[in-house]
Amino acid sequence: MAMPPPGFNVGIAVMKHRSATPWKKSRTYGDLYGGRTRRRMTDNMFARAHSLQRPGPDQALPVLIQDNPSREFVFPVSVEECAATLLRLPASHAEGITHIWLRRRPARLGHSGAALAEFICGSGVRVIILYPWRADGRLYVGRDKPSTQSVASYLRFGAELHCDRGRWYVGFSEANLKRFYVEHLFCHEVGHHVDWYARRWSKANFRSAEEFADQYAVQWAPDATVLAPKD
């Protein structure tokens, strides 16, 4: 398997300007569009992003970590459900993933760079991170009614579009939100892992990398999804 070049390489689900993508996030926390990821390569980004250690040679992989998300947020899936999904993917796709982390949202992500998911690799660690969802179940998408295209990734998983006091938001049922997290967010980041170690992603083909991760999730997620039954 090809190894990454020196330095740190990060795949991050973040917001971009409206001119570049349906993503947008307002100054009010939680008002955002979209669900896509982009990568950025910055010195010491990996060191700032987490404090994980390289697993030992005898340690079972992937290492599973689930934080307490705080009162304002919830995790729609468990880390065990994500691990079960990974086991149903081809073994070569999961090879090398060291951690699955359902991570409490850091203060640095409580602004316009807020992420829903990340893939980060470097220093012997390859981690897929999922961030929590608002506890009220709503994802606000602005004061103007969004186009169908801008919320297509949500509607595809059964989300419904609503307006409350002049603010539009999407809402999921519990089951559909689980599917969105596993089939869309988690498998998209697995796709970035496969792409990085198979095709050697570079900044020059960012669009290609995103398309690959999208197509990976569409192709592999439905057969790989394993969701725990309700109690």
Side-chain angles (χ1 to χ4, degrees), residues 14-25 36-38 112 206 210:
V14 299
M15 314 307 120
K16 296 187 292 185
H17 295 299
R18 184 187 294 239
S19 61
T21 176
W23 268 115
K24 183 182 185 303
K25 189 173 188 304
R36 297 300 1 106
T37 66
R38 73 176 178 88
S112 61
F206 157 73
E210 287 305 311

PDB file of all heavy atoms in Angstrom, residues 14-25 36-38 112 206 210:
ATOM      1  N   VAL A  14     -16.488  20.812   5.359  1.00  0.00           N
ATOM      2  CA  VAL A  14     -16.591  22.196   5.787  1.00  0.00           C
ATOM      3  C   VAL A  14     -17.470  22.974   4.820  1.00  0.00           C
ATOM      4  O   VAL A  14     -17.845  22.504   3.759  1.00  0.00           O
ATOM      5  CB  VAL A  14     -15.202  22.875   5.871  1.00  0.00           C
ATOM      6  CG1 VAL A  14     -14.340  22.169   6.884  1.00  0.00           C
ATOM      7  CG2 VAL A  14     -14.533  22.908   4.515  1.00  0.00           C
ATOM      8  N   MET A  15     -17.766  24.226   5.177  1.00  0.00           N
ATOM      9  CA  MET A  15     -18.571  25.080   4.342  1.00  0.00           C
ATOM     10  C   MET A  15     -17.688  25.851   3.365  1.00  0.00           C
ATOM     11  O   MET A  15     -16.565  26.202   3.672  1.00  0.00           O
ATOM     12  CB  MET A  15     -19.339  26.112   5.190  1.00  0.00           C
ATOM     13  CG  MET A  15     -20.012  25.522   6.412  1.00  0.00           C
ATOM     14  SD  MET A  15     -21.059  24.144   6.012  1.00  0.00           S
ATOM     15  CE  MET A  15     -20.270  22.893   6.987  1.00  0.00           C
ATOM     16  N   LYS A  16     -18.224  26.124   2.175  1.00  0.00           N
ATOM     17  CA  LYS A  16     -17.526  26.943   1.203  1.00  0.00           C
ATOM     18  C   LYS A  16     -18.446  28.080   0.778  1.00  0.00           C
ATOM     19  O   LYS A  16     -19.612  28.123   1.116  1.00  0.00           O
ATOM     20  CB  LYS A  16     -17.128  26.104  -0.015  1.00  0.00           C
ATOM     21  CG  LYS A  16     -16.134  25.006   0.321  1.00  0.00           C
ATOM     22  CD  LYS A  16     -15.647  24.314  -0.924  1.00  0.00           C
ATOM     23  CE  LYS A  16     -16.744  23.515  -1.566  1.00  0.00           C
ATOM     24  NZ  LYS A  16     -16.300  22.735  -2.710  1.00  0.00           N
ATOM     25  N   HIS A  17     -17.903  29.023  -0.013  1.00  0.00           N
ATOM     26  CA  HIS A  17     -18.697  30.161  -0.430  1.00  0.00           C
ATOM     27  C   HIS A  17     -19.820  29.732  -1.362  1.00  0.00           C
ATOM     28  O   HIS A  17     -19.690  28.778  -2.122  1.00  0.00           O
ATOM     29  CB  HIS A  17     -17.814  31.192  -1.118  1.00  0.00           C
ATOM     30  CG  HIS A  17     -16.798  31.783  -0.198  1.00  0.00           C
ATOM     31  ND1 HIS A  17     -17.143  32.495   0.928  1.00  0.00           N
ATOM     32  CD2 HIS A  17     -15.447  31.737  -0.225  1.00  0.00           C
ATOM     33  CE1 HIS A  17     -16.043  32.877   1.546  1.00  0.00           C
ATOM     34  NE2 HIS A  17     -15.006  32.425   0.865  1.00  0.00           N
ATOM     35  N   ARG A  18     -20.922  30.475  -1.347  1.00  0.00           N
ATOM     36  CA  ARG A  18     -22.093  30.138  -2.148  1.00  0.00           C
ATOM     37  C   ARG A  18     -21.740  30.018  -3.626  1.00  0.00           C
ATOM     38  O   ARG A  18     -22.305  29.204  -4.355  1.00  0.00           O
ATOM     39  CB  ARG A  18     -23.168  31.200  -1.955  1.00  0.00           C
ATOM     40  CG  ARG A  18     -24.481  30.885  -2.691  1.00  0.00           C
ATOM     41  CD  ARG A  18     -25.416  32.055  -2.592  1.00  0.00           C
ATOM     42  NE  ARG A  18     -25.808  32.238  -1.214  1.00  0.00           N
ATOM     43  CZ  ARG A  18     -27.059  32.205  -0.811  1.00  0.00           C
ATOM     44  NH1 ARG A  18     -28.020  31.966  -1.660  1.00  0.00           N
ATOM     45  NH2 ARG A  18     -27.350  32.405   0.448  1.00  0.00           N
ATOM     46  N   SER A  19     -20.781  30.834  -4.098  1.00  0.00           N
ATOM     47  CA  SER A  19     -20.419  30.794  -5.510  1.00  0.00           C
ATOM     48  C   SER A  19     -19.797  29.473  -5.901  1.00  0.00           C
ATOM     49  O   SER A  19     -19.789  29.105  -7.067  1.00  0.00           O
ATOM     50  CB  SER A  19     -19.441  31.932  -5.820  1.00  0.00           C
ATOM     51  OG  SER A  19     -18.266  31.784  -5.057  1.00  0.00           O
ATOM     52  N   ALA A  20     -19.267  28.719  -4.948  1.00  0.00           N
ATOM     53  CA  ALA A  20     -18.565  27.479  -5.263  1.00  0.00           C
ATOM     54  C   ALA A  20     -19.404  26.244  -5.025  1.00  0.00           C
ATOM     55  O   ALA A  20     -19.138  25.204  -5.601  1.00  0.00           O
ATOM     56  CB  ALA A  20     -17.277  27.388  -4.439  1.00  0.00           C
ATOM     57  N   THR A  21     -20.442  26.333  -4.196  1.00  0.00           N
ATOM     58  CA  THR A  21     -21.157  25.133  -3.793  1.00  0.00           C
ATOM     59  C   THR A  21     -22.464  25.521  -3.146  1.00  0.00           C
ATOM     60  O   THR A  21     -22.635  26.669  -2.712  1.00  0.00           O
ATOM     61  CB  THR A  21     -20.331  24.339  -2.751  1.00  0.00           C
ATOM     62  OG1 THR A  21     -21.123  23.231  -2.314  1.00  0.00           O
ATOM     63  CG2 THR A  21     -19.971  25.168  -1.552  1.00  0.00           C
ATOM     64  N   PRO A  22     -23.437  24.588  -3.047  1.00  0.00           N
ATOM     65  CA  PRO A  22     -24.643  24.878  -2.272  1.00  0.00           C
ATOM     66  C   PRO A  22     -24.385  25.100  -0.792  1.00  0.00           C
ATOM     67  O   PRO A  22     -25.257  25.553  -0.079  1.00  0.00           O
ATOM     68  CB  PRO A  22     -25.500  23.624  -2.488  1.00  0.00           C
ATOM     69  CG  PRO A  22     -25.038  23.072  -3.783  1.00  0.00           C
ATOM     70  CD  PRO A  22     -23.551  23.369  -3.815  1.00  0.00           C
ATOM     71  N   TRP A  23     -23.211  24.751  -0.298  1.00  0.00           N
ATOM     72  CA  TRP A  23     -22.891  24.977   1.121  1.00  0.00           C
ATOM     73  C   TRP A  23     -22.954  26.467   1.444  1.00  0.00           C
ATOM     74  O   TRP A  23     -22.418  27.298   0.746  1.00  0.00           O
ATOM     75  CB  TRP A  23     -21.479  24.522   1.420  1.00  0.00           C
ATOM     76  CG  TRP A  23     -21.319  23.123   1.896  1.00  0.00           C
ATOM     77  CD1 TRP A  23     -20.685  22.118   1.250  1.00  0.00           C
ATOM     78  CD2 TRP A  23     -21.763  22.580   3.137  1.00  0.00           C
ATOM     79  NE1 TRP A  23     -20.719  20.985   1.997  1.00  0.00           N
ATOM     80  CE2 TRP A  23     -21.360  21.234   3.153  1.00  0.00           C
ATOM     81  CE3 TRP A  23     -22.464  23.097   4.228  1.00  0.00           C
ATOM     82  CZ2 TRP A  23     -21.638  20.397   4.224  1.00  0.00           C
ATOM     83  CZ3 TRP A  23     -22.745  22.260   5.287  1.00  0.00           C
ATOM     84  CH2 TRP A  23     -22.330  20.930   5.274  1.00  0.00           C
ATOM     85  N   LYS A  24     -23.537  26.797   2.552  1.00  0.00           N
ATOM     86  CA  LYS A  24     -23.409  28.129   3.121  1.00  0.00           C
ATOM     87  C   LYS A  24     -23.690  28.018   4.601  1.00  0.00           C
ATOM     88  O   LYS A  24     -24.524  27.237   5.004  1.00  0.00           O
ATOM     89  CB  LYS A  24     -24.401  29.121   2.504  1.00  0.00           C
ATOM     90  CG  LYS A  24     -24.223  30.550   3.039  1.00  0.00           C
ATOM     91  CD  LYS A  24     -25.245  31.470   2.457  1.00  0.00           C
ATOM     92  CE  LYS A  24     -24.987  32.901   2.880  1.00  0.00           C
ATOM     93  NZ  LYS A  24     -24.972  33.045   4.330  1.00  0.00           N
ATOM     94  N   LYS A  25     -23.034  28.815   5.389  1.00  0.00           N
ATOM     95  CA  LYS A  25     -23.341  28.864   6.816  1.00  0.00           C
ATOM     96  C   LYS A  25     -23.472  30.309   7.224  1.00  0.00           C
ATOM     97  O   LYS A  25     -22.628  31.136   6.908  1.00  0.00           O
ATOM     98  CB  LYS A  25     -22.256  28.191   7.645  1.00  0.00           C
ATOM     99  CG  LYS A  25     -22.668  28.050   9.104  1.00  0.00           C
ATOM    100  CD  LYS A  25     -21.666  27.229   9.852  1.00  0.00           C
ATOM    101  CE  LYS A  25     -22.165  26.923  11.250  1.00  0.00           C
ATOM    102  NZ  LYS A  25     -22.495  28.121  12.006  1.00  0.00           N
ATOM    103  N   ARG A  36     -21.169  18.397   1.877  1.00  0.00           N
ATOM    104  CA  ARG A  36     -20.005  17.897   1.187  1.00  0.00           C
ATOM    105  C   ARG A  36     -18.737  18.186   1.967  1.00  0.00           C
ATOM    106  O   ARG A  36     -18.708  18.929   2.921  1.00  0.00           O
ATOM    107  CB  ARG A  36     -19.899  18.524  -0.211  1.00  0.00           C
ATOM    108  CG  ARG A  36     -21.060  18.144  -1.087  1.00  0.00           C
ATOM    109  CD  ARG A  36     -21.319  16.681  -1.388  1.00  0.00           C
ATOM    110  NE  ARG A  36     -20.458  15.727  -0.803  1.00  0.00           N
ATOM    111  CZ  ARG A  36     -20.824  14.951   0.215  1.00  0.00           C
ATOM    112  NH1 ARG A  36     -21.993  15.043   0.778  1.00  0.00           N
ATOM    113  NH2 ARG A  36     -20.000  14.068   0.687  1.00  0.00           N
ATOM    114  N   THR A  37     -17.674  17.576   1.493  1.00  0.00           N
ATOM    115  CA  THR A  37     -16.404  17.737   2.152  1.00  0.00           C
ATOM    116  C   THR A  37     -15.396  18.345   1.223  1.00  0.00           C
ATOM    117  O   THR A  37     -15.535  18.315   0.011  1.00  0.00           O
ATOM    118  CB  THR A  37     -15.844  16.380   2.617  1.00  0.00           C
ATOM    119  OG1 THR A  37     -15.537  15.603   1.454  1.00  0.00           O
ATOM    120  CG2 THR A  37     -16.827  15.643   3.495  1.00  0.00           C
ATOM    121  N   ARG A  38     -14.372  18.923   1.781  1.00  0.00           N
ATOM    122  CA  ARG A  38     -13.211  19.302   0.987  1.00  0.00           C
ATOM    123  C   ARG A  38     -11.978  19.048   1.833  1.00  0.00           C
ATOM    124  O   ARG A  38     -12.049  18.954   3.052  1.00  0.00           O
ATOM    125  CB  ARG A  38     -13.255  20.761   0.533  1.00  0.00           C
ATOM    126  CG  ARG A  38     -13.002  21.778   1.624  1.00  0.00           C
ATOM    127  CD  ARG A  38     -12.967  23.170   1.014  1.00  0.00           C
ATOM    128  NE  ARG A  38     -12.777  24.190   2.022  1.00  0.00           N
ATOM    129  CZ  ARG A  38     -11.579  24.605   2.447  1.00  0.00           C
ATOM    130  NH1 ARG A  38     -10.488  24.059   1.973  1.00  0.00           N
ATOM    131  NH2 ARG A  38     -11.478  25.546   3.361  1.00  0.00           N
ATOM    132  N   SER A 112     -18.162  29.347  11.113  1.00  0.00           N
ATOM    133  CA  SER A 112     -18.504  29.094   9.720  1.00  0.00           C
ATOM    134  C   SER A 112     -17.723  27.940   9.108  1.00  0.00           C
ATOM    135  O   SER A 112     -18.015  27.515   8.006  1.00  0.00           O
ATOM    136  CB  SER A 112     -18.275  30.363   8.888  1.00  0.00           C
ATOM    137  OG  SER A 112     -16.917  30.752   8.950  1.00  0.00           O
ATOM    138  N   PHE A 206      -8.880  18.217  -6.660  1.00  0.00           N
ATOM    139  CA  PHE A 206      -9.845  18.274  -5.560  1.00  0.00           C
ATOM    140  C   PHE A 206     -11.241  17.859  -6.005  1.00  0.00           C
ATOM    141  O   PHE A 206     -11.908  17.054  -5.358  1.00  0.00           O
ATOM    142  CB  PHE A 206      -9.871  19.683  -4.971  1.00  0.00           C
ATOM    143  CG  PHE A 206     -11.147  20.013  -4.260  1.00  0.00           C
ATOM    144  CD1 PHE A 206     -11.434  19.454  -3.034  1.00  0.00           C
ATOM    145  CD2 PHE A 206     -12.069  20.886  -4.829  1.00  0.00           C
ATOM    146  CE1 PHE A 206     -12.611  19.739  -2.385  1.00  0.00           C
ATOM    147  CE2 PHE A 206     -13.246  21.175  -4.186  1.00  0.00           C
ATOM    148  CZ  PHE A 206     -13.525  20.603  -2.956  1.00  0.00           C
ATOM    149  N   GLU A 210     -13.612  14.657  -4.551  1.00  0.00           N
ATOM    150  CA  GLU A 210     -14.959  14.753  -4.000  1.00  0.00           C
ATOM    151  C   GLU A 210     -15.930  13.881  -4.780  1.00  0.00           C
ATOM    152  O   GLU A 210     -16.792  13.214  -4.195  1.00  0.00           O
ATOM    153  CB  GLU A 210     -15.419  16.211  -3.993  1.00  0.00           C
ATOM    154  CG  GLU A 210     -14.732  17.054  -2.941  1.00  0.00           C
ATOM    155  CD  GLU A 210     -14.882  16.451  -1.560  1.00  0.00           C
ATOM    156  OE1 GLU A 210     -16.024  16.099  -1.178  1.00  0.00           O
ATOM    157  OE2 GLU A 210     -13.878  16.308  -0.874  1.00  0.00           O
TER     158      GLU A 210
END
